[in-house]
Amino acid sequence: SPRSFEVLRIGWYGGSGARMVWNSGPVKIKYRNTPTLRNATRTIETKWPISSSFDIGPEWVPGLYLVASVNRQGKIENVAPFILRSNPRDSKLLLIHSTLTWAAYNSFGGHSAYSAAINKTLERSQVVSFDRPYAGSGINHLGRDAISFVQYLESTGLNIDQVADTDINNSPSIAAKYNGIIFSGHPEYMTRTEFDTVAAVRNLGVNIAFMGANSAFWQSRVEASPSGPDRRLVIYRD
């Protein structure tokens, strides 16, 4: 049956944890099969056609956004996050979202960076893709470490810029522009560049806050997929 897609900005709006900034209206979509594994890396990656699209306007406020799939009963079935970046130093504080960790724990298609559907860790994905819906622990990490924390921060009135960990990997100088950087929770996966950047800005006197344990546990790297740069997380070591 038709679905609608809503773009929601996560924050704090008089007690509501989000506000809708765009709605597609009813869209007819087709059922798509879950892709088979991609060679020896055991990667699940979708190549589904575009069902709907939207333009980000100049009036959109920077921050954490969700694109929600909504059924005819008004129930949100799934969400996909994206981060609309602000100009550097709109705030003195920077929140870095751990998108690599969300992807690693995502078990859509029966495989994550931890285990497979048959629950053998040796069958885990060595390369996980961002080009798939969120499921299992992947969606749970997004809710626990990102959505709830952003809602809390905005409820206090604290002004804070937001970026993804991949932004720090690609543009390390961003982190040095702030008085403090915050990892909202469980930034378990980091690239070498991101790790070195955190250490370097610490040495420059930038304050660092980790709101969760098990930080920087896995060294990893990112690669492109057919849909664009930084769409695959690579981690071969067990």
Side-chain angles (χ1 to χ4, degrees):
S1 63
R3 302 294 197 273
S4 65
F5 297 99
E6 298 178 358
V7 177
L8 310 171
R9 185 186 181 276
I10 301 302
W12 196 251
Y13 301 94
S16 177
R19 68 178 177 90
M20 184 172 65
V21 298
W22 181 84
N23 188 314
S24 69
V27 176
K28 287 186 177 181
I29 57 177
K30 294 182 179 180
Y31 179 84
R32 304 293 175 185
N33 290 325
T34 301
T36 55
L37 290 178
R38 175 182 171 267
N39 59 47
T41 62
R42 296 182 284 277
T43 303
I44 299 290
E45 188 167 75
T46 61
K47 298 179 182 179
W48 296 335
I50 295 172
S51 299
S52 183
S53 63
F54 57 90
D55 294 322
I56 295 174
E59 72 282 1
W60 289 38
V61 178
L64 175 64
Y65 285 78
L66 302 178
V67 182
S69 169
V70 182
N71 65 18
R72 288 187 296 181
Q73 288 73 42
K75 180 181 178 181
I76 293 178
E77 296 179 315
N78 206 346
V79 296
F82 72 91
I83 299 155
L84 179 58
R85 296 187 300 270
S86 60
N87 294 320
R89 294 219 68 170
D90 279 356
S91 167
K92 295 181 179 180
L93 296 175
L94 180 67
L95 174 61
I96 301 174
H97 289 290
S98 303
T99 65
L100 299 180
T101 302
W102 306 345
Y105 277 90
N106 184 5
S107 58
F108 175 83
H111 284 72
S112 73
Y114 290 87
S115 62
I118 56 177
N119 201 30
K120 291 183 178 180
T121 55
L122 293 179
E123 295 296 324
R124 70 173 186 85
S125 296
Q126 295 172 320
V127 178
V128 296
S129 177
F130 280 92
D131 297 339
R132 56 184 179 147
Y134 280 91
S137 292
I139 195 73
N140 291 339
H141 278 67
L142 171 63
R144 184 194 69 183
D145 299 333
I147 296 174
S148 61
F149 192 62
V150 169
Q151 289 169 336
Y152 164 73
L153 289 173
E154 295 214 353
S155 73
T156 68
L158 188 64
N159 180 32
I160 187 165
D161 292 347
Q162 300 180 53
V163 297
D165 44 10
T166 50
D167 294 321
I168 302 300
N169 178 69
N170 293 329
S171 301
S173 62
I174 292 175
K177 300 179 185 297
Y178 293 86
N179 293 351
I181 59 176
I182 301 171
F183 290 89
S184 56
H186 207 174
E188 183 176 351
Y189 287 76
M190 285 189 184
T191 65
R192 185 74 209 188
T193 297
E194 184 187 6
F195 181 86
D196 289 345
T197 298
V198 172
V201 297
R202 174 204 60 190
N203 295 341
L204 292 174
V206 175
N207 295 292
I208 304 173
F210 293 97
M211 297 299 174
N214 204 23
S215 301
F217 189 80
W218 291 88
Q219 180 177 330
S220 54
R221 69 176 186 268
V222 288
E223 293 179 346
S225 79
S227 70
D230 302 335
R231 301 300 298 168
R232 292 173 182 163
L233 171 69
V234 181
I235 174 73
Y236 285 106
R237 182 181 178 186
D238 286 315

